[in-house]
Amino acid sequence: MVDALKESWRVLHQGGVLLDFRPLVGSPPIEIAGGGSAQEVGSVDDRAADGDSAAADAAIETVTKSGIFYGETKRQFQVAHYWDSVEEMSEYLGSRRHRMSILPSEAHVREFFDRTVRTDARIRLRCRWRNQLHAYARL
Amino acid sequence: MVEIDPEGIESRELLAAMDFKDTMVLEVGCGDGRLTFKYGAVPRRVVGIEPSASPLTNAHSNCPTALSSHVHFVQATAMTLPFRDHSFDVVLLAKSL
């Protein structure tokens, strides 16, 4: 990762900006959303990303300490994902670079979802991931 | 099918983080261009790189006509960027670090 950051430094103009945009690990809640309301029914197990997330933080620390990037502005915000079924959500989570899963279980979330879908026409599963957007200037 | 960020939070936050107007942007990890297309109209030029061929094919085919003159996609990795020194004003690591 440090090598990739040094490549970014190389192709940037002096004073150019490096933007580090990525989701934060933190077991985001799964909600059943629709009709203006939402009910939390589980969470996403995203612990598989823990190692890479820590390594990314360490790589950023290395290049800022070495002085090739400096300063920093930090933003955090939530980005929502929506699915029409538990199967679609599960397939999406399982296909990510860091394989994720549904907690406490897919069956648990499906039970709530199926029950709610029968009572409302427009119901979806929603997960709002917390993201970071950090900016660094190139020395 | 997954719908990601229909509220447009990502592009709003990106464009609030810095002024992209007239900039040369390198997006590392552009995937199928989903994020690129959201802010791509603002910079002077955007180059998105992605190591995998499959998402890049989708990025090419899904690129809106209005962006096709200044948004480009290249198969490459962050470890060996196929660009000259000091080519860009912004490097956006899009969920790729």
Side-chain angles (χ1 to χ4, degrees):
Chain A
M1 287 183 184
V2 171
D3 289 341
L5 290 170
K6 287 179 177 174
E7 268 292 88
S8 295
W9 178 87
R10 180 183 65 76
V11 301
L12 275 169
H13 294 299
Q14 187 173 4
V17 176
L18 177 75
L19 294 172
D20 176 19
F21 174 31
R22 55 186 153 101
L24 298 166
V25 179
S27 300
I30 297 168
E31 299 167 304
I32 295 175
S37 64
Q39 179 188 8
E40 190 175 324
V41 293
S43 63
V44 171
D45 181 359
D46 58 357
R47 289 172 294 178
D50 265 345
D52 275 359
S53 181
D57 290 341
I60 288 286
E61 188 177 353
T62 297
V63 296
T64 50
K65 275 187 174 172
S66 73
I68 64 172
F69 288 105
Y70 67 97
E72 182 179 5
T73 60
K74 294 182 176 181
R75 307 176 75 89
Q76 284 195 9
F77 51 92
Q78 289 185 326
V79 174
H81 292 49
Y82 293 86
W83 298 267
D84 288 316
S85 72
V86 178
E87 290 72 23
E88 288 177 357
M89 180 182 198
S90 184
E91 183 183 341
Y92 177 84
L93 295 176
S95 67
R96 298 297 90 195
R97 177 165 63 127
H98 300 101
R99 193 180 169 83
M100 295 180 274
S101 59
I102 295 172
L103 293 174
S105 70
E106 191 174 324
H108 173 86
V109 171
R110 183 181 292 111
E111 183 186 335
F112 277 90
F113 186 71
D114 289 348
R115 196 185 307 158
T116 312
V117 161
R118 280 199 290 271
T119 61
D120 197 308
R122 184 55 172 164
I123 292 291
R124 291 194 290 178
L125 290 153
R126 178 174 71 193
C127 184
R128 288 185 286 193
W129 265 278
R130 193 136 200 89
N131 283 255
Q132 69 163 47
L133 177 59
H134 293 183
Y136 307 86
R138 180 206 188 276
L139 196 65
Chain B
M1 198 175 110
V2 60
E3 185 179 14
I4 301 172
D5 192 29
E7 298 89 355
I9 304 293
E10 288 174 319
S11 52
R12 193 186 315 159
E13 291 289 336
L14 263 180
L15 296 171
M18 66 164 293
D19 185 3
F20 280 85
K21 195 177 175 193
D22 289 328
T23 57
M24 296 280 288
V25 178
L26 173 64
E27 183 181 332
V28 177
C30 64
D32 62 4
R34 183 190 63 80
L35 180 63
T36 322
F37 302 146
K38 289 185 174 181
Y39 71 89
V42 182
R44 177 156 42 97
R45 189 176 183 214
V46 179
V47 179
I49 68 161
E50 170 66 34
S52 308
S54 175
L56 273 182
T57 302
N58 292 331
H60 282 295
S61 57
N62 295 336
C63 187
T65 308
L67 300 181
S68 60
S69 64
H70 66 283
V71 173
H72 306 277
F73 296 101
V74 176
Q75 188 171 5
T77 73
M79 299 293 287
T80 314
L81 296 173
F83 308 106
R84 293 181 189 156
D85 295 357
H86 318 304
S87 309
F88 294 95
D89 303 297
V90 180
V91 171
L92 168 59
L93 304 175
K95 306 180 182 180
S96 56
L97 189 59

